[in-house]
Amino acid sequence: MRYISTRATATPQSERKRFCEILLEGLAPDGGLYLPETYPQVEPATLTRWRGLSYADLAFEVLSLYVDDIPAEDLRALCRNTYTQAVFGTAAIVPLKKLEDGLYLEALSNGPTLAFKDMAMQLLGNLFEYELARRGEELNIFGATSGDTGSAAEYAMRGKKGVRVFMTSPDGRMSPFQQAQMFSLLDENIYNIAITGVFDDCQDLVKAVSGDLEFKRKYKIGTVNSINWARLMAQVVYYFAGYLQSTTSNEERVSFTVPSGNFGNVCAGHVARMMGLPIAQLVVATNENDVLDEFFRTGVYRVRGTADTHETSSPSMDISKASNFERFVFDLLGRDGARTADLFGAQVPRQGRFDLGADPVFAQAASRYGFASGKSTHQDRLDTIRSTWQKYGVVVDTHTADGLKVAQEHRQAGVPMVVLETALPIKFAATIVEALGREPERPAQFVGIEALPKKVRVMAPDVQAIKDLIAQACA
Ligand SMILES: *Cc1c(COP(=O)(O)O)cnc(C)c1O
């Protein structure tokens, strides 16, 4: 298997990369995103064979189709060490909860930070440690977070050899639970940095440090953002697991609804569908930040400015642009790298938008690729949390509520609808209290975390001071 950029026209053989070559990288040098040059096909007989597998072994089978530069036994061991009951809470790893006939939740949020990002990040931690050891290299992950991504990265990388994590977050702006989750990590290789500013200040610091190419090379600065192919690949596995749990034969089709922000999660569903998994619809659910819903309704992709980006009660979906969307558009355009480069490398930066509404390919987003979409507001979220509790006795988090609301609008007779549960309600307790008048349940391992000792340094948004901190840590 080789990887190409979404912006490449003709890629010479020498530039087709192998998995481990792109594992530690972000964007391709031409500004595009990496994708496999073809999608491996999973035949019905293979799918049948996979029905009996544990999640870890299913992960190994799927990953083997994309990774041919890690020996099979090592890859299997990496999967088995990652997807354990001890880390993910159940033997099934991603158990299905039946709400009623034909409507399920797939639990992706029982990992260490209670959000679906653990599903990929835990694997990434083990892959990074493995590959860095093999190369005899080190990596300094420098990132910005307003919540879920930073903590998932820290819990994945804590204690890993060869990796340090420097994670900036806006001082005092994360929820007390999120702060406690991150700042109570006392591992030597984890550096929590609370920046006196807002999230944009943190992101500007990341841009400034990564933009200093000499510093970046000298100190091996890397990221773990959602455009990383390995994260996307790891997410493909739970679409297979959700399908296999909700069907008994490969004749059946299943739809998925995905609470979406950067399009990383649902893009993995697209990849699973391209591999031949019998998925009927992929329903993209957005909150008030409806960049993606607008595209799937109209063909217009319009990036939002800061003033147009709403702070909502499903904050992990508060995006101004969808950083993984380019991957799907590349496929939609028949893998035309030149056109993809024009849309994302010229039109979006210059005009902040592009319009495929009049292009015949736009209709294929639904007809050929199964996409549908919908939007959910704060009031919808409250109503859905309430009705899900009243009807099924289940408390869902705010992001999952957006998914459930939109899923109801797209259910088809005879096709099970699986809604991905992307976080547990305890992470967004204030909105649960607003909807239900009571606190959500707190998993036992999180009781009292606010009182644990914290390791965090508060710093001004000063590029030089941050660089000095990294240099000192590496000395
Ligand atoms: C990150 C996140 C999302 C959005 O996922 P994307 O891959 O960015 O589309 C949805 N819900 C929760 C809880 C998240 O943490």
Side-chain angles (χ1 to χ4, degrees):
M1 176 60 74
R2 292 292 189 277
Y3 292 87
I4 55 171
S5 162
T6 51
R7 297 190 191 177
T9 38
T11 312
Q13 197 56 38
S14 61
E15 281 172 34
R16 293 172 187 244
K17 304 231 172 128
R18 301 181 77 176
F19 175 78
C20 288
E21 291 178 277
I22 64 166
L23 172 63
L24 304 172
E25 279 186 43
L27 293 174
D30 60 12
L33 281 70
Y34 287 113
L35 269 182
E37 57 185 353
T38 58
Y39 293 114
Q41 294 302 300
V42 176
E43 303 301 329
T46 308
L47 204 52
T48 300
R49 187 167 58 78
W50 288 357
R51 282 187 180 275
L53 298 181
S54 67
Y55 190 89
D57 287 349
L58 177 66
F60 168 71
E61 295 289 341
V62 173
L63 267 50
S64 298
L65 302 173
Y66 290 101
V67 181
D68 56 11
D69 49 354
I70 294 177
E73 279 324 297
D74 290 358
L75 188 62
R76 187 188 288 281
L78 286 165
C79 291
R80 287 190 175 169
N81 291 335
T82 301
Y83 298 110
T84 65
Q85 179 161 1
V87 174
F88 288 95
T90 65
I93 308 295
V94 291
L96 278 196
K97 269 186 243 178
K98 181 172 169 178
L99 295 180
E100 62 179 45
D101 278 344
L103 184 63
Y104 302 88
L105 290 179
E106 183 174 358
L108 305 182
S109 44
N110 295 322
T113 73
L114 309 183
F116 91 95
K117 293 187 174 67
D118 290 327
M119 293 303 306
M121 210 69 95
Q122 286 288 316
L123 180 76
L124 208 65
N126 287 326
L127 279 170
F128 275 25
E129 184 175 54
Y130 176 87
E131 181 60 15
L132 289 167
R134 206 157 67 155
R135 296 185 193 180
E137 285 179 15
E138 290 193 347
L139 184 72
N140 292 302
I141 294 168
F142 183 48
T145 190
S146 52
D148 287 346
T149 309
S151 56
E154 291 190 354
Y155 277 78
M157 303 295 167
R158 62 186 298 196
K160 293 281 186 288
K161 289 186 221 52
V163 188
R164 294 181 195 87
V165 179
F166 300 85
M167 191 58 66
T168 60
S169 60
D171 187 25
R173 292 192 184 237
M174 290 193 300
S175 75
F177 185 86
Q178 284 176 316
Q179 291 186 40
Q181 247 187 340
M182 276 180 62
F183 300 164
S184 63
L185 290 182
L186 304 178
D187 304 74
E188 252 177 57
N189 69 328
I190 302 294
Y191 296 77
N192 285 308
I193 309 167
I195 298 292
T196 50
V198 294
F199 178 60
D200 281 342
D201 295 314
C202 302
Q203 270 191 320
D204 289 346
L205 284 170
V206 174
K207 275 189 209 141
V209 172
S210 319
D212 180 343
L213 294 183
E214 200 192 314
F215 185 86
K216 188 178 173 197
R217 210 171 310 118
K218 181 165 179 201
Y219 289 103
K220 310 252 181 260
I221 304 293
T223 56
V224 285
N225 49 25
S226 75
I227 57 158
N228 182 291
W229 164 256
R231 276 181 69 180
L232 208 125
M233 175 186 74
Q235 292 169 186
V236 172
V237 179
Y238 55 69
Y239 285 88
F240 279 88
Y243 176 82
L244 294 173
Q245 288 182 82
S246 57
T247 58
T248 51
S249 107
N250 304 338
E251 305 299 310
E252 296 167 67
R253 296 191 311 156
V254 172
S255 292
F256 288 89
T257 300
V258 187
S260 293
N262 275 315
F263 204 77
N265 196 349
V266 74
C267 194
H270 165 67
V271 171
R273 197 173 181 279
M274 296 299 281
M275 293 169 73
L277 188 66
I279 295 176
Q281 296 184 92
L282 286 167
V283 182
V284 176
T286 73
N287 64 18
E288 290 87 338
N289 297 290
D290 58 353
V291 183
L292 290 167
D293 180 44
E294 182 178 11
F295 175 80
F296 286 107
R297 275 186 299 103
T298 66
V300 173
Y301 178 68
R302 183 172 59 89
V303 170
R304 313 293 200 249
T306 313
D308 267 346
T309 307
H310 308 278
E311 265 188 51
T312 75
S313 47
S314 45
S316 299
M317 291 155 62
D318 292 351
I319 49 109
S320 53
K321 60 182 172 58
S323 53
N324 266 290
F325 188 52
E326 182 170 336
R327 286 192 160 109
F328 170 65
V329 172
F330 178 64
D331 283 342
L332 184 66
L333 297 175
R335 300 205 133 199
D336 183 336
R339 264 195 93 188
T340 309
D342 175 54
L343 296 183
F344 287 92
Q347 294 196 32
V348 168
R350 280 183 211 137
Q351 294 130 40
R353 71 199 293 277
F354 61 76
D355 184 355
L356 292 179
D359 193 304
V361 297
F362 173 61
Q364 295 180 358
S367 64
R368 182 159 171 209
Y369 296 97
F371 274 96
S373 73
K375 167 181 173 172
S376 164
T377 64
H378 182 68
Q379 191 56 51
D380 294 325
R381 228 162 275 140
L382 295 177
D383 293 345
T384 305
I385 291 168
R386 231 174 264 136
S387 63
T388 306
W389 168 243
Q390 283 160 1
K391 228 168 141 184
Y392 312 116
V394 171
V395 182
V396 291
D397 100 287
T398 51
H399 307 75
T400 309
D402 289 332
L404 264 171
K405 186 265 178 183
V406 174
Q408 295 288 8
E409 299 163 356
H410 290 277
R411 285 175 73 182
Q412 294 170 325
V415 183
M417 176 64 84
V418 175
V419 178
L420 300 186
E421 179 183 62
T422 55
L424 289 196
I426 184 66
K427 293 198 86 168
F428 305 96
T431 309
I432 305 299
V433 172
E434 189 181 346
L436 301 180
R438 64 180 188 84
E439 290 281 334
E441 215 174 279
R442 182 177 284 226
Q445 71 270 33
F446 293 98
V447 172
I449 60 165
E450 288 90 343
L452 292 175
K454 294 188 176 61
K455 194 179 85 161
V456 56
R457 63 197 80 204
V458 180
M459 294 177 73
D462 174 346
V463 177
Q464 191 54 48
I466 297 281
K467 285 183 178 170
D468 291 346
L469 174 72
I470 294 174
Q472 259 170 31
C474 297

